[in-house]
Amino acid sequence: MRLLLAMVEKDLLRRLRSPLPTILLLLFPLIFSGLIALTFGGGEAKVPKVHLLLDDRDGGLVGRLVGAAFSREEAQTYFEVKTLTAEERKAGDAALLEREEATAVLRLPAGLTDDVLAGRPAHLELVKSPAQSILPDVAEQVTSVLAEVLSSSSRLLRGPLDQMRNTQAMPATAGGGVSDPRVAEIAVQVNGVVTRARPYLLPPVVTLDTLDTATRSEPGSGAKGPQGQKGPQPKPAGSSSTPSLFLLFLPGIAVYTLFNLADQMMRDLLIEARLKTLRRQLAGPLTAGRVLAGKALSTAAVATLALLALTAVGAAVAPRGVSLAGYLLLSFALVAAATGYASAVFGVARNERQGATLANLVSLLMAFTGGSFIPLNSLPAALRALSPFSLLYWATQATRSW
Amino acid sequence: MTEQLGLRAVLPNIAILAGAGFLLLALSAPLWQRRLLKGELT
């Protein structure tokens, strides 16, 4: 046993004399998780805008109403609308979408106002950009709501709209416009329709409140919104998902690093064979079994120290109570798995280079199928079926569940 | 204490990791030993 401990001490001293590779390897999960967290979690979530090109060939009342609807303050949060000029239209839809990096072209056909006023079937045209994935679908949904609104308005306001058409067809008054009594008559009719429809339309029977987990109040807690009404709470200023993203990715990348560290330690045996120091060791009172056991113990010792360092970082970011027995059990299992994996990979490899290639291949494969880098639910079903065969899957799941 | 860590939930993981680790060690030990005894590494 003393001999084994001496071998472990020798390996640890060698690592201590040349600590840079080990330190760099240990920094990898921190830097990688930190970069991912900063890239995807920094600051407030920014809603991407739908960049809509409005091709108004109608030029009438309906075209102006649609343009005005998209210019409202609420709509401007989600939409950026540009009305095309006659010159710009000549470029064609595909060229326009590409040049303007737009989401879609919404075309209001000539005669749309007349059709809506007359209650005739009309079509809106939406040309979606193939270069974007989700926003064109948003534009399609909003346009279908717009078509629904126009269609319903055309039916609901049929009486006043017919009056307006008749007025347009009548000869103009001496002043060149529509007479006051006529305008008043149509306005009264519109008001009558709206008043009759109000009980059926307002207030809505069902409304939707969107909450997020950070601001969600407990059901029945009677939380009040900013205006004293029940509803979503505003997100606290400065709240950010960066630490939680860091903690989401750290366990997976940390166990991947642990396996890599173990493979570097077992690789030592092949390096020592190349440097002929292994021959020197075996010339002493050492059996092959002891040399192997000593190297496995050294691997386990370095992996344990690395695990302690990584756990300390995790605990500093998110301090929480864990049972010592549980931590020791899981650490023991992780170290055993990493050591066994490294021993098997380099035991099969013919030489150092082959071992390094094989170790990289196997560890990357285990990391991707095990969800160490990418959350498992983002993987295709075929890859997820392979996950239970990956040691990193069990390691990542266990460390992440802390 | 068990609930604090969620230890019960990760016990299968611990068993699989430790079991697989020792199994791989046991399977690879004869490979190493044969190579060392045959002088492949020396």
Side-chain angles (χ1 to χ4, degrees), chain A residues 89-118:
Chain A
R89 274 180 212 152
K90 288 177 189 166
D93 295 332
L96 272 171
L97 285 169
E98 191 178 345
R99 194 180 69 203
E100 301 283 338
E101 293 180 4
T103 306
V105 177
L106 174 58
R107 184 163 297 118
L108 308 178
L112 179 66
T113 300
D114 289 341
D115 290 339
V116 171
L117 291 182

Side-chain angles (χ1 to χ4, degrees), chain A residues 269-270 273 278-279 282 288-289 292 321-323 326 329-330 332-334 336-337 340-341 343-344 346-347 349-350 391 394-395 397-398 401-402, chain B residues 1-2 4-7 9-22 24-25 28-33 35-37 39-42:
Chain A
L269 213 53
L270 297 180
L278 191 61
R279 181 185 286 195
L282 286 169
L292 185 61
V322 291
S323 93
L329 260 179
L330 184 56
F332 172 76
L334 283 171
Y341 149 80
S343 172
F346 283 93
R350 279 171 187 268
L391 278 178
W394 299 101
Q397 296 300 312
S401 72
W402 278 14
Chain B
M1 286 289 260
T2 307
Q4 198 180 11
L5 174 69
L7 181 59
V10 295
L11 270 179
N13 299 51
I14 291 174
I16 287 168
L17 286 169
F22 282 111
L24 286 171
L25 263 178
S28 59
L31 291 174
W32 282 106
Q33 209 152 9
R35 290 166 78 183
L36 284 167
L37 289 175
E40 272 180 41
L41 296 176
T42 52

Side-chain angles (χ1 to χ4, degrees), chain A residues 6-361:
Chain A
M7 289 173 69
V8 173
E9 190 187 346
K10 178 216 46 160
D11 276 337
L12 290 179
L13 275 175
R14 282 180 57 225
R15 289 274 143 189
L16 212 59
R17 293 266 161 83
S18 168
L20 199 62
T22 313
I23 291 173
L24 284 178
L25 203 60
L26 282 178
L27 283 178
F28 168 72
L30 307 179
I31 294 171
F32 196 66
S33 310
L35 281 176
I36 290 176
L38 283 174
T39 309
F40 297 106
E44 291 289 313
K46 202 174 152 191
V47 181
K49 281 189 179 184
V50 174
H51 186 185
L52 205 61
L53 300 177
L54 188 62
D55 181 6
D56 183 7
R57 299 190 176 190
D58 175 51
L61 176 70
V62 173
R64 286 200 297 277
L65 279 175
V66 170
F70 282 114
S71 307
R72 285 178 62 88
E73 199 180 332
E74 298 93 324
Q76 280 181 350
T77 314
Y78 306 104
F79 289 91
E80 192 182 335
V81 180
K82 180 185 175 186
T83 305
L84 295 175
T85 61
E87 196 61 37
E88 284 170 326
R89 274 180 212 152
K90 288 177 189 166
D93 295 332
L96 272 171
L97 285 169
E98 191 178 345
R99 194 180 69 203
E100 301 283 338
E101 293 180 4
T103 306
V105 177
L106 174 58
R107 184 163 297 118
L108 308 178
L112 179 66
T113 300
D114 289 341
D115 290 339
V116 171
L117 291 182
R120 286 192 297 265
H123 296 276
L124 300 180
E125 268 181 40
L126 187 79
V127 185
K128 298 196 287 182
S129 166
Q132 297 182 7
S133 53
I134 298 169
L135 292 179
D137 288 340
V138 175
E140 186 178 356
Q141 290 294 322
V142 171
T143 310
S144 66
V145 171
L146 181 71
E148 193 72 40
V149 167
L150 286 175
S151 194
S152 304
S153 305
S154 175
R155 290 194 194 285
L156 198 64
L157 299 169
R158 180 74 355 245
L161 290 177
D162 283 341
Q163 294 278 353
M164 281 170 72
R165 279 176 58 233
N166 294 340
T167 306
Q168 280 177 338
M170 281 164 65
T173 58
V178 182
S179 67
D180 290 347
R182 191 76 181 141
V183 172
E185 192 185 338
I186 294 171
V188 167
Q189 280 192 21
V190 170
N191 189 43
V193 170
V194 171
T195 308
R196 281 198 302 279
R198 193 186 295 273
Y200 301 104
L201 299 176
L202 296 168
V205 178
V206 180
T207 53
L208 173 70
D209 284 342
T210 307
L211 308 174
D212 62 35
T213 49
T215 56
R216 191 177 184 280
S217 56
E218 288 303 313
S221 66
K224 303 282 180 185
Q227 279 82 43
Q229 299 168 329
K230 273 192 179 182
Q233 300 271 324
K235 210 172 181 178
S239 71
S240 162
S241 58
T242 305
S244 53
L245 263 182
F246 179 75
L247 287 174
L248 176 72
F249 282 97
L250 182 66
I253 303 171
V255 290
Y256 168 76
T257 304
L258 195 72
F259 274 56
N260 268 338
L261 197 66
D263 105 38
Q264 287 219 341
M265 287 300 294
M266 283 310 283
R267 195 184 303 187
D268 245 12
L269 213 53
L270 297 180
I271 295 173
E272 286 189 64
R274 175 165 54 82
L275 298 174
K276 304 294 180 198
T277 47
L278 191 61
R279 181 185 286 195
R280 205 180 300 162
Q281 284 178 55
L282 286 169
L286 275 177
T287 60
R290 277 200 172 165
V291 170
L292 185 61
K295 191 53 78 181
L297 266 182
S298 303
T299 305
V302 172
T304 306
L305 290 175
L307 197 59
L308 275 174
L310 291 170
T311 311
V313 174
V317 178
R320 57 183 290 193
V322 291
S323 93
L324 185 66
Y327 173 72
L328 290 178
L329 260 179
L330 184 56
S331 303
F332 172 76
L334 283 171
V335 168
T339 310
Y341 149 80
S343 172
V345 167
F346 283 93
V348 170
R350 279 171 187 268
N351 53 44
E352 195 187 325
R353 190 176 292 176
Q354 200 184 64
T357 310
L358 189 65
N360 276 337
L361 194 75

